[in-house]
Every structure is written in structure tokens, then in C-alpha cells.
Amino acid sequence: MKIRNPPTGEKSELNMTSMIDIVFLLLIFFVMTFKIVEMEGDFSVKMPLAGSSNSTIDPTELPLKLRLRADDNGTLAGMELNDIQMGNGPEAFDKLRGTIIGQIGSSAPVPEEAGEGPEVEIDTDFNLRYEYVIRAITAVSGYKDGDQVVKLIERIKFAKPRR
Amino acid sequence: MRVKRKAVDMAEGDMTPMIDMTFQLIAFFMVLINFAQTEANDHVVLPNSKLVKPPEAPLVFPIVLHVAADGRVYLGGDDYTAETLRIGLDRELAVIRGEGKSPGDANVVIRGHKDCAAGEIQEVVRVCQDSKLVNFALRVKEDRS
């Protein structure tokens, strides 16, 4: 049978405008809220109130006292570990680490449980910038050997604030 | 002269590559967006340390204290001084006790500004210790250099 007037193939076109609008809105939202993530980590410290600690103190262990002095601007003016002068420049923290390694021994196995091993007490001037305290904690906590972190002292406490 | 008028075709650009690119950009930003930034505070710029690594497991019962450069302490949207922090801590501890735990189970995360006075951090630690909190985490930025 002959078909007369065959239907012409109509091209159906989707209206993309609204989709593109939403897609651009999404894009703008993500671009505006985008923030490069900075990786953060913790120095975990167990600091019970003085006198309430029931951990036994080894009388043969030398107490480590780290004294941090600040000038009027809050910059590090001097650092002493048990009266050994460390200086105040960038090399002071390396010297501190070296002294700690010398005192506790780099080859000594560090106990697995936190709360064991030697303890360092940080006694800082009130106005010293916190950044220096973290640098000191980094120096006494350990050092990086390639990708491995070698731990030194895990027990840290703060002395009373010097107001 | 007679000019023959031609029917003008509507010029339609091919939108496919643009839409492809846009979807790729959206996918990129969606993957990289970090909704866990709720812990961050605009008042705090953390100090750096090479030793720290991001924790593998989240801390249990965290109490996040942001200590700004001027010594103000931010806890859960409110700001305190070292003297008034006790009020905020009591509120947090009430929640912890309500869950049948003790203050010793909580972890105090101290996010101190790198330029704030170390004494302010010591004061915050002392106030927390007075509230029987013993576990502290001094948060710092990982230094990969």
C-alpha cells in the first residue's frame, strides 16, 4: 500500500537552559566554599592535676625541667634544660633535641604505653609565643628519621603559669 | 535590484563540551570539599610541627577549645576568658556525665593560635585540670616541608 504524505522526522530538542543554570549555580557554590585542607595532628598529653597522679616516679630518673624565657615581644630570649643553656636561635631546638637524646639515650626502647618513660616539665614565661612552646615540644618529643618518627619523651607537663 | 531574502537559520553552538567540562569541575570540587572543617576557627592560625600526623581514629568525647591570639577561648560558638571558661566546660561535662562517662574519658583538644601567649594556654590547661580533665591534645598543623 502506498502511504501518502509520510510524517516528516521532527527533531525533538530538549531545553537545556534550566539545567545549565543549576549546574553553574552548583559550580559557583563549590568554587566559593572550596578551601584547601590543611592536615592537622595532635600532641597527645596526659596532664592530671599536680598531686592527683598515681603514677610511680622512679627516684633514679633525673627530672627534666625546660625553662623558656621570653623578651617583651614574646620572642624566645633563652632556653635552659636543667640549667644547660640552649640559646635562642633556630639551632637552639636542635641543641635541645641533641641534649635530650644524650640524656635519655637514643637507643633506649621507648615503652609502648603512653605515660611511661621520662617526663619533661615546661616552665615558660607567660608572654612567650605559643609557637615556641610547640617547637620545644616537637624537639623533646622526637625526631624524623626519613619517614619514621623516633619518639623520645611522651610525658609532658606544664609548670604553673608565671603571670 | 531585487534582493532575495534568505530565511535565517538560528545558529546553535554545540553545548556538549561545555557541559562536560562543567560537570567535571563540579565533580572535582565535590570530591575535594571538606565538610569536616567545622572544627576550624577563623581566629586561630595553628603552629607547625613536623612530628604530628593526622589521627587515624577520631578522638572520643572531644572538647575543642580555640585559643585566639588575644587569649579569648572559643568553645561551641561562645567565647570565654580563662576565668569564665569553667562555665562552658561544666556544660560540656554535663553532656559527658549524661552519657554515663567521667571527665577522665573526655579529650580536650587545644587549638592555640601560634602567636598567643603560652601563659594563656597554661591557664586553659589549669582550668581544665580543675574540672578533672586529664587528656589533652595540642593541635598543630602538619609541616610537610
Side-chain angles (χ1 to χ4, degrees), chain A residues 15-87:
Chain A
N15 189 1
M16 307 275 273
T17 321
S18 43
M19 189 196 76
I20 294 169
D21 283 354
I22 291 168
V23 164
F24 273 111
L25 276 175
L26 278 172
L27 186 63
I28 289 164
F29 166 75
F30 284 117
V31 169
M32 299 296 274
T33 54
F34 181 67
K35 196 178 174 188
I36 294 169
V37 184
E38 287 168 335
M39 301 309 263
E40 296 176 0
D42 297 324
F43 282 112
S44 295
V45 189
K46 200 164 186 163
M47 281 189 281
L49 197 61
S52 65
S53 170
N54 53 4
S55 62
T56 52
I57 296 163
D58 187 352
T60 58
E61 268 180 21
L62 186 67
L64 293 167
K65 279 204 165 197
L66 182 63
R67 176 82 176 93
L68 302 170
R69 293 179 200 281
D71 62 14
D72 291 341
N73 302 320
T75 315
L76 185 70
M79 190 163 57
E80 297 153 28
L81 179 73
N82 288 353
D83 297 329
I84 307 168
Q85 293 289 338
M86 299 290 153

Side-chain angles (χ1 to χ4, degrees), chain B residues 6-74:
Chain B
K6 272 187 184 173
V8 180
D9 264 345
M10 236 173 102
E12 278 190 18
D14 189 5
M15 305 279 272
T16 321
M18 190 197 72
I19 295 170
D20 283 355
M21 278 305 298
T22 315
F23 273 117
Q24 282 200 19
L25 280 171
I26 287 179
F28 170 76
F29 284 115
M30 275 179 77
V31 169
L32 288 190
I33 198 167
N34 179 27
F35 288 111
Q37 284 282 321
T38 45
E39 270 195 4
N41 188 299
D42 290 339
H43 297 91
V44 176
V45 179
L46 294 178
N48 295 328
S49 176
K50 286 184 179 178
L51 282 190
V52 295
K53 290 222 164 81
E56 285 163 12
L59 295 169
V60 287
F61 301 115
I63 299 173
V64 184
L65 302 176
H66 305 271
V67 187
D70 59 358
R72 292 203 74 80
V73 186
Y74 295 86

